Amino acid sequence: MTNQPYEQPYEGYDPYQQQPPAQPQWGYDEQQYATQQWQGQTWETQTHASVPAAASEQGYHLPPQSYERPYVAEQQAPPAPQQPQAPVPDPAAPEPAAQGFGPATLSGNARITDAQRARLESRSPIIEPGMQPALLTAALGLLLAVAAPVSAYALVVPLVILQAVTAAGWFRLNGMWPARQGIALAFLGGVTADVAVLVAGRDQAPAAILGPLGIWVLLTLVLQLRSHADPDTRMYGLMATVASSALAIIATGYLGADPDAASVGAAAVAVAVLARALPLPTPASVAVSLLAAAGAGIAVGGMTGLGTKGALIGAAAGACGLVGHRAASYDYPSRFVHFTAGVALPLAAAAPVVWILH
């Protein structure tokens, strides 16, 4: 086999100078499309071993090799994702101001409560209920004042509403929600005292009120002892249930007191809470509230025949109403607390004074 001089241009890697089989002639677009669709694995064309010369004599033909496909495949490979770079702080930009604490809110904070934040800042954790709960307190107080002279059974209707709102508001004020059993137990104690006063009469009101109060304390103690909660939770539930039951039961004092005294006391609390909701400094607001309660006592006492005694009952009831108003404002309570405990506690706290001073 004679060696022939190399005269043909270089068109591919064919060490045996064999003519490749006829290939279909593709257009430029078709060839480009076929090349771009090449996504499979390729082989390295420069690392093939030499084939023996016998392969050429036996008629074996190597497929045409292309140097173009591996290069195009590398070009079509997707680029590696780049990691996002952290923003470089601008040294000329001003530093953010130190984060301070905002004003008091009713919504709370996910990391720290408003009450804890207020204590850390040496501030008082108090938010007053505001004018809307004060209007509801005044409306309920006026219902009690109007219904008391009518009859005992007419007085029971607003009284039961007062006892229900008192029971629910006290549990929520103590952070215990839902506490349906405790609320139901406290409300049932108030209704039991109402029934006892209606059956025994106003003359036997002390026994009719103090009797259910003692029974409900023992009942609450027994129920808490049967609880499977941890000791701290049981003690906390015991105190909340006893206090809520006591407030609901002593609210029956409006039913056991003289109707005229009940009217004076309820009207005085209504006026005192409205005056306390006015946008005044706290000392001035308290003074105005007490004067308004005494004035309401004089006015209603003059209409009922109590005379100057109405001023004493009105001032005492107004002072107790402010104490209940303050209790409902403690520890950054929620809006629900303001519309339950904030409405009912001023009236419930004034009931014993009305009952004693009548």
Side-chain angles (χ1 to χ4, degrees), residues 248-271:
I249 291 173
I250 63 175
T252 312
Y254 288 106
L255 190 61
D258 183 76
D260 296 337
S263 296
V264 170
V269 173
V271 174

Side-chain angles (χ1 to χ4, degrees), residues 126-156:
I126 296 295
I127 293 182
E128 303 291 343
M131 183 57 70
Q132 291 181 350
L135 291 174
L136 294 177
T137 302
L140 187 57
L142 291 178
L143 286 177
L144 291 171
V146 171
V150 176
S151 67
Y153 294 97
L155 181 60
V156 168

Side-chain angles (χ1 to χ4, degrees), residues 62-236:
L62 292 175
Q65 306 297 327
S66 174
Y67 293 93
E68 200 173 285
R69 289 181 178 178
Y71 176 73
V72 175
E74 293 178 1
Q75 284 185 342
Q76 297 297 327
Q82 299 181 357
Q83 298 293 334
Q85 298 181 358
V88 180
D90 187 4
E95 296 182 359
Q99 295 183 357
F101 295 102
T105 62
L106 296 176
S107 58
N109 192 307
R111 293 172 297 177
I112 183 173
T113 63
D114 291 332
Q116 293 172 343
R117 184 182 68 181
R119 293 189 182 96
L120 290 176
E121 296 178 0
S122 300
R123 292 189 289 105
S124 176
I126 296 295
I127 293 182
E128 303 291 343
M131 183 57 70
Q132 291 181 350
L135 291 174
L136 294 177
T137 302
L140 187 57
L142 291 178
L143 286 177
L144 291 171
V146 171
V150 176
S151 67
Y153 294 97
L155 181 60
V156 168
V157 176
L159 181 59
V160 168
I161 298 175
L162 172 62
Q163 291 167 334
V165 178
T166 300
W170 184 260
F171 273 92
R172 189 64 185 92
L173 181 62
N174 285 267
M176 302 179 66
W177 189 265
R180 298 181 181 90
Q181 294 181 354
I183 294 173
L185 183 63
F187 175 68
L188 185 59
V191 173
T192 302
D194 297 341
V195 174
V197 172
L198 290 176
V199 172
R202 284 191 172 93
D203 295 337
Q204 303 297 326
I209 294 175
L210 296 178
L213 180 60
I215 294 173
W216 248 250
V217 170
L218 293 177
L219 180 61
T220 303
L221 181 61
V222 171
L223 292 178
Q224 290 298 326
L225 290 176
R226 294 173 57 88
S227 175
H228 298 287
D230 57 276
D232 293 338
T233 303
R234 283 187 293 177
M235 180 60 67
Y236 196 60

